[in-house]
Amino acid sequence: MKDTKTNSAYDVAVCGGGIAGISAALAAAREGKKVILFEKQYMLGGLGTAGLITIYLPLCDGLGHQVSFGIAEELLKLSIKYGAEARYPDNWLDAKGTRTEKDKRYEVQYNAQLFSILAEQLLLDNGVDILYGSYVVDVEIERKKIKHIYIENKSGRTEYTVRSVVDATGDCDIAWLSNAPTNTFNQGNVLAAWYYYTNENGYHLQMLGASDIPEEEKTGKETKPLIGRRFTGLDGKELSEMTCLSHKTTLDHWLKKRETDPNAVISTIATTPQIRMTRKLVGEYTLSHTEEHTNFEDSIGMVSNWKKRGPVYEVPFRTLYSNEVENLIVAGRCTSVNETLWDVMRVIPCCAVTGQAAGTAASMTDNFSTLDVVALQRKLKQSGVVLHENDLV
């Protein structure tokens, strides 16, 4: 076995380069900290780019009120810097028309490859060190704090000394490695096989399969799953099998499409499994889907429900950490919520909101249970975040 190499120390280590990780790294770097981001792929954006889930879901409540701000809105605008693919919200971005319950919500469809490159440039411009092709494989804990992170990539195994850590892996891998309390998605994920194709009419997103929802929310009108099998997303062999099934589904669908559309050509397939929910933190507070329109003193921002108009959730800071590992904070779909709300919190705006809060907090402390939340909220508000629903205009 080759020796473990050592590397320089970092104030903040962000594990995972999806939307939550991008937001966390950006927020921490803007606070003047030395930040490194580890990403297993060779592009940023996670499911939102490599997974071709290219719909930046709403920043608004569907009733005319924007609820997610700060980096969440900054990244939405970045994703369409060179034009939107579809769903352009001119009523929000260009003040054309109204914003009632009958109008377009503040969401866009973007080009995955462009967004990934633009996000990379944004992080590099803000001084973030990005290490691609890198898995966090272990952590070293001392006195309830992560002291070292071990990553593996082409260079072998390397040890990094860290002050605080953001788990934005989507699978809560760092919390799990640290023995922080976690739980898994009971139902498992249905197969998805989204892909892009071109024909004489242009460039199109083909959505095959979708994320599933908890039983208590089902109405009986959901799209039939592509196959009967479900996937945990936490097993290497299973993920490989899922990927092969996804590829076969894409090919079969395209071959059938060619029967009526001979000019259709597959242009892009997902390069990461389209898994939505796997494992999340059991934090100091678990937010429930029943707590819409609830005021939390320690709110770090707000999110809406992408599946229906109306609900707004303030996100308590306590959902982002566990006292079991004092310098570890989570973001994105790792956030401590109940099973029903998980399908709401896993999407891009929620990842950006929690990512910004996690990165800002990580720049301030190595013990999140003792952090001055009022000071954190002050920094978030200075960055354009609106914390409470009763503060909306």
PDB file of all heavy atoms in Angstrom, residues 17-40:
ATOM      1  N   GLY A  17     -19.468  19.008  -5.213  1.00  0.00           N
ATOM      2  CA  GLY A  17     -19.504  20.204  -6.054  1.00  0.00           C
ATOM      3  C   GLY A  17     -20.812  20.395  -6.783  1.00  0.00           C
ATOM      4  O   GLY A  17     -20.832  20.965  -7.875  1.00  0.00           O
ATOM      5  N   GLY A  18     -21.919  19.926  -6.201  1.00  0.00           N
ATOM      6  CA  GLY A  18     -23.225  20.246  -6.761  1.00  0.00           C
ATOM      7  C   GLY A  18     -23.602  21.676  -6.428  1.00  0.00           C
ATOM      8  O   GLY A  18     -22.758  22.481  -6.014  1.00  0.00           O
ATOM      9  N   ILE A  19     -24.860  22.009  -6.584  1.00  0.00           N
ATOM     10  CA  ILE A  19     -25.297  23.383  -6.329  1.00  0.00           C
ATOM     11  C   ILE A  19     -25.056  23.773  -4.874  1.00  0.00           C
ATOM     12  O   ILE A  19     -24.637  24.892  -4.575  1.00  0.00           O
ATOM     13  CB  ILE A  19     -26.780  23.554  -6.693  1.00  0.00           C
ATOM     14  CG1 ILE A  19     -27.017  23.179  -8.163  1.00  0.00           C
ATOM     15  CG2 ILE A  19     -27.224  25.000  -6.441  1.00  0.00           C
ATOM     16  CD1 ILE A  19     -26.222  23.973  -9.165  1.00  0.00           C
ATOM     17  N   ALA A  20     -25.313  22.852  -3.939  1.00  0.00           N
ATOM     18  CA  ALA A  20     -25.075  23.152  -2.520  1.00  0.00           C
ATOM     19  C   ALA A  20     -23.598  23.419  -2.269  1.00  0.00           C
ATOM     20  O   ALA A  20     -23.234  24.368  -1.558  1.00  0.00           O
ATOM     21  CB  ALA A  20     -25.568  22.002  -1.654  1.00  0.00           C
ATOM     22  N   GLY A  21     -22.729  22.591  -2.848  1.00  0.00           N
ATOM     23  CA  GLY A  21     -21.301  22.768  -2.653  1.00  0.00           C
ATOM     24  C   GLY A  21     -20.770  24.035  -3.305  1.00  0.00           C
ATOM     25  O   GLY A  21     -19.926  24.737  -2.731  1.00  0.00           O
ATOM     26  N   ILE A  22     -21.255  24.335  -4.501  1.00  0.00           N
ATOM     27  CA  ILE A  22     -20.870  25.588  -5.169  1.00  0.00           C
ATOM     28  C   ILE A  22     -21.224  26.772  -4.290  1.00  0.00           C
ATOM     29  O   ILE A  22     -20.419  27.685  -4.070  1.00  0.00           O
ATOM     30  CB  ILE A  22     -21.573  25.709  -6.540  1.00  0.00           C
ATOM     31  CG1 ILE A  22     -21.052  24.660  -7.517  1.00  0.00           C
ATOM     32  CG2 ILE A  22     -21.402  27.113  -7.117  1.00  0.00           C
ATOM     33  CD1 ILE A  22     -21.889  24.527  -8.778  1.00  0.00           C
ATOM     34  N   SER A  23     -22.446  26.771  -3.768  1.00  0.00           N
ATOM     35  CA  SER A  23     -22.929  27.886  -2.941  1.00  0.00           C
ATOM     36  C   SER A  23     -22.135  28.007  -1.653  1.00  0.00           C
ATOM     37  O   SER A  23     -21.771  29.116  -1.233  1.00  0.00           O
ATOM     38  CB  SER A  23     -24.414  27.690  -2.633  1.00  0.00           C
ATOM     39  OG  SER A  23     -25.173  27.575  -3.820  1.00  0.00           O
ATOM     40  N   ALA A  24     -21.842  26.871  -1.021  1.00  0.00           N
ATOM     41  CA  ALA A  24     -21.096  26.892   0.236  1.00  0.00           C
ATOM     42  C   ALA A  24     -19.675  27.391   0.021  1.00  0.00           C
ATOM     43  O   ALA A  24     -19.173  28.227   0.791  1.00  0.00           O
ATOM     44  CB  ALA A  24     -21.091  25.502   0.849  1.00  0.00           C
ATOM     45  N   ALA A  25     -19.012  26.876  -1.001  1.00  0.00           N
ATOM     46  CA  ALA A  25     -17.636  27.287  -1.269  1.00  0.00           C
ATOM     47  C   ALA A  25     -17.563  28.773  -1.610  1.00  0.00           C
ATOM     48  O   ALA A  25     -16.662  29.493  -1.147  1.00  0.00           O
ATOM     49  CB  ALA A  25     -17.060  26.447  -2.403  1.00  0.00           C
ATOM     50  N   LEU A  26     -18.507  29.236  -2.401  1.00  0.00           N
ATOM     51  CA  LEU A  26     -18.536  30.649  -2.789  1.00  0.00           C
ATOM     52  C   LEU A  26     -18.747  31.535  -1.567  1.00  0.00           C
ATOM     53  O   LEU A  26     -18.045  32.543  -1.388  1.00  0.00           O
ATOM     54  CB  LEU A  26     -19.645  30.865  -3.813  1.00  0.00           C
ATOM     55  CG  LEU A  26     -19.822  32.276  -4.371  1.00  0.00           C
ATOM     56  CD1 LEU A  26     -18.552  32.721  -5.092  1.00  0.00           C
ATOM     57  CD2 LEU A  26     -21.006  32.324  -5.332  1.00  0.00           C
ATOM     58  N   ALA A  27     -19.701  31.156  -0.716  1.00  0.00           N
ATOM     59  CA  ALA A  27     -20.000  31.964   0.468  1.00  0.00           C
ATOM     60  C   ALA A  27     -18.806  32.021   1.410  1.00  0.00           C
ATOM     61  O   ALA A  27     -18.455  33.095   1.931  1.00  0.00           O
ATOM     62  CB  ALA A  27     -21.219  31.395   1.188  1.00  0.00           C
ATOM     63  N   ALA A  28     -18.151  30.880   1.638  1.00  0.00           N
ATOM     64  CA  ALA A  28     -17.003  30.862   2.546  1.00  0.00           C
ATOM     65  C   ALA A  28     -15.832  31.654   1.983  1.00  0.00           C
ATOM     66  O   ALA A  28     -15.147  32.383   2.714  1.00  0.00           O
ATOM     67  CB  ALA A  28     -16.591  29.414   2.819  1.00  0.00           C
ATOM     68  N   ALA A  29     -15.587  31.529   0.688  1.00  0.00           N
ATOM     69  CA  ALA A  29     -14.483  32.251   0.065  1.00  0.00           C
ATOM     70  C   ALA A  29     -14.711  33.755   0.114  1.00  0.00           C
ATOM     71  O   ALA A  29     -13.767  34.537   0.304  1.00  0.00           O
ATOM     72  CB  ALA A  29     -14.301  31.790  -1.379  1.00  0.00           C
ATOM     73  N   ARG A  30     -15.961  34.169  -0.048  1.00  0.00           N
ATOM     74  CA  ARG A  30     -16.268  35.605   0.009  1.00  0.00           C
ATOM     75  C   ARG A  30     -16.079  36.180   1.408  1.00  0.00           C
ATOM     76  O   ARG A  30     -16.007  37.395   1.570  1.00  0.00           O
ATOM     77  CB  ARG A  30     -17.691  35.847  -0.494  1.00  0.00           C
ATOM     78  CG  ARG A  30     -17.789  35.748  -2.007  1.00  0.00           C
ATOM     79  CD  ARG A  30     -19.214  35.870  -2.502  1.00  0.00           C
ATOM     80  NE  ARG A  30     -19.242  35.980  -3.965  1.00  0.00           N
ATOM     81  CZ  ARG A  30     -20.353  35.913  -4.701  1.00  0.00           C
ATOM     82  NH1 ARG A  30     -21.533  35.713  -4.111  1.00  0.00           N
ATOM     83  NH2 ARG A  30     -20.295  36.032  -6.013  1.00  0.00           N
ATOM     84  N   GLU A  31     -15.991  35.310   2.405  1.00  0.00           N
ATOM     85  CA  GLU A  31     -15.685  35.757   3.765  1.00  0.00           C
ATOM     86  C   GLU A  31     -14.180  35.776   4.013  1.00  0.00           C
ATOM     87  O   GLU A  31     -13.723  35.977   5.142  1.00  0.00           O
ATOM     88  CB  GLU A  31     -16.375  34.849   4.781  1.00  0.00           C
ATOM     89  CG  GLU A  31     -17.891  34.964   4.806  1.00  0.00           C
ATOM     90  CD  GLU A  31     -18.367  36.335   5.229  1.00  0.00           C
ATOM     91  OE1 GLU A  31     -17.719  36.937   6.117  1.00  0.00           O
ATOM     92  OE2 GLU A  31     -19.371  36.825   4.672  1.00  0.00           O
ATOM     93  N   GLY A  32     -13.403  35.549   2.955  1.00  0.00           N
ATOM     94  CA  GLY A  32     -11.954  35.658   3.056  1.00  0.00           C
ATOM     95  C   GLY A  32     -11.252  34.412   3.554  1.00  0.00           C
ATOM     96  O   GLY A  32     -10.066  34.464   3.908  1.00  0.00           O
ATOM     97  N   LYS A  33     -11.941  33.265   3.544  1.00  0.00           N
ATOM     98  CA  LYS A  33     -11.343  32.035   4.053  1.00  0.00           C
ATOM     99  C   LYS A  33     -10.665  31.239   2.947  1.00  0.00           C
ATOM    100  O   LYS A  33     -10.980  31.376   1.771  1.00  0.00           O
ATOM    101  CB  LYS A  33     -12.417  31.184   4.729  1.00  0.00           C
ATOM    102  CG  LYS A  33     -13.102  31.880   5.895  1.00  0.00           C
ATOM    103  CD  LYS A  33     -12.092  32.316   6.961  1.00  0.00           C
ATOM    104  CE  LYS A  33     -12.755  33.043   8.100  1.00  0.00           C
ATOM    105  NZ  LYS A  33     -11.767  33.489   9.125  1.00  0.00           N
ATOM    106  N   LYS A  34      -9.737  30.392   3.372  1.00  0.00           N
ATOM    107  CA  LYS A  34      -9.062  29.490   2.456  1.00  0.00           C
ATOM    108  C   LYS A  34      -9.947  28.258   2.283  1.00  0.00           C
ATOM    109  O   LYS A  34     -10.168  27.502   3.236  1.00  0.00           O
ATOM    110  CB  LYS A  34      -7.690  29.102   3.001  1.00  0.00           C
ATOM    111  CG  LYS A  34      -6.853  28.254   2.042  1.00  0.00           C
ATOM    112  CD  LYS A  34      -5.489  27.936   2.645  1.00  0.00           C
ATOM    113  CE  LYS A  34      -4.653  27.103   1.675  1.00  0.00           C
ATOM    114  NZ  LYS A  34      -3.343  26.729   2.269  1.00  0.00           N
ATOM    115  N   VAL A  35     -10.427  28.039   1.071  1.00  0.00           N
ATOM    116  CA  VAL A  35     -11.473  27.045   0.818  1.00  0.00           C
ATOM    117  C   VAL A  35     -11.013  26.056  -0.247  1.00  0.00           C
ATOM    118  O   VAL A  35     -10.449  26.447  -1.272  1.00  0.00           O
ATOM    119  CB  VAL A  35     -12.777  27.724   0.352  1.00  0.00           C
ATOM    120  CG1 VAL A  35     -13.870  26.683   0.101  1.00  0.00           C
ATOM    121  CG2 VAL A  35     -13.249  28.761   1.368  1.00  0.00           C
ATOM    122  N   ILE A  36     -11.278  24.778   0.007  1.00  0.00           N
ATOM    123  CA  ILE A  36     -11.069  23.750  -1.003  1.00  0.00           C
ATOM    124  C   ILE A  36     -12.379  23.007  -1.224  1.00  0.00           C
ATOM    125  O   ILE A  36     -13.144  22.769  -0.279  1.00  0.00           O
ATOM    126  CB  ILE A  36      -9.947  22.765  -0.621  1.00  0.00           C
ATOM    127  CG1 ILE A  36      -9.630  21.845  -1.808  1.00  0.00           C
ATOM    128  CG2 ILE A  36     -10.289  21.978   0.644  1.00  0.00           C
ATOM    129  CD1 ILE A  36      -8.333  21.059  -1.657  1.00  0.00           C
ATOM    130  N   LEU A  37     -12.646  22.678  -2.478  1.00  0.00           N
ATOM    131  CA  LEU A  37     -13.846  21.926  -2.836  1.00  0.00           C
ATOM    132  C   LEU A  37     -13.415  20.621  -3.486  1.00  0.00           C
ATOM    133  O   LEU A  37     -12.663  20.618  -4.458  1.00  0.00           O
ATOM    134  CB  LEU A  37     -14.727  22.736  -3.776  1.00  0.00           C
ATOM    135  CG  LEU A  37     -16.068  22.112  -4.177  1.00  0.00           C
ATOM    136  CD1 LEU A  37     -17.105  23.195  -4.457  1.00  0.00           C
ATOM    137  CD2 LEU A  37     -15.955  21.226  -5.410  1.00  0.00           C
ATOM    138  N   PHE A  38     -13.895  19.503  -2.939  1.00  0.00           N
ATOM    139  CA  PHE A  38     -13.624  18.181  -3.501  1.00  0.00           C
ATOM    140  C   PHE A  38     -14.833  17.719  -4.306  1.00  0.00           C
ATOM    141  O   PHE A  38     -15.966  17.740  -3.801  1.00  0.00           O
ATOM    142  CB  PHE A  38     -13.363  17.157  -2.384  1.00  0.00           C
ATOM    143  CG  PHE A  38     -12.226  17.506  -1.482  1.00  0.00           C
ATOM    144  CD1 PHE A  38     -12.449  17.835  -0.152  1.00  0.00           C
ATOM    145  CD2 PHE A  38     -10.918  17.503  -1.952  1.00  0.00           C
ATOM    146  CE1 PHE A  38     -11.399  18.141   0.694  1.00  0.00           C
ATOM    147  CE2 PHE A  38      -9.860  17.823  -1.112  1.00  0.00           C
ATOM    148  CZ  PHE A  38     -10.105  18.141   0.212  1.00  0.00           C
ATOM    149  N   GLU A  39     -14.611  17.297  -5.544  1.00  0.00           N
ATOM    150  CA  GLU A  39     -15.713  16.845  -6.409  1.00  0.00           C
ATOM    151  C   GLU A  39     -15.302  15.582  -7.151  1.00  0.00           C
ATOM    152  O   GLU A  39     -14.239  15.534  -7.769  1.00  0.00           O
ATOM    153  CB  GLU A  39     -16.095  17.944  -7.394  1.00  0.00           C
ATOM    154  CG  GLU A  39     -17.016  17.523  -8.520  1.00  0.00           C
ATOM    155  CD  GLU A  39     -18.281  16.808  -8.058  1.00  0.00           C
ATOM    156  OE1 GLU A  39     -18.851  17.208  -7.013  1.00  0.00           O
ATOM    157  OE2 GLU A  39     -18.694  15.843  -8.736  1.00  0.00           O
ATOM    158  N   LYS A  40     -16.141  14.551  -7.085  1.00  0.00           N
ATOM    159  CA  LYS A  40     -15.801  13.267  -7.708  1.00  0.00           C
ATOM    160  C   LYS A  40     -15.889  13.309  -9.231  1.00  0.00           C
ATOM    161  O   LYS A  40     -15.188  12.566  -9.920  1.00  0.00           O
ATOM    162  CB  LYS A  40     -16.706  12.169  -7.154  1.00  0.00           C
ATOM    163  CG  LYS A  40     -18.181  12.348  -7.473  1.00  0.00           C
ATOM    164  CD  LYS A  40     -19.033  11.272  -6.812  1.00  0.00           C
ATOM    165  CE  LYS A  40     -20.498  11.457  -7.107  1.00  0.00           C
ATOM    166  NZ  LYS A  40     -21.337  10.437  -6.441  1.00  0.00           N
TER     167      LYS A  40
END
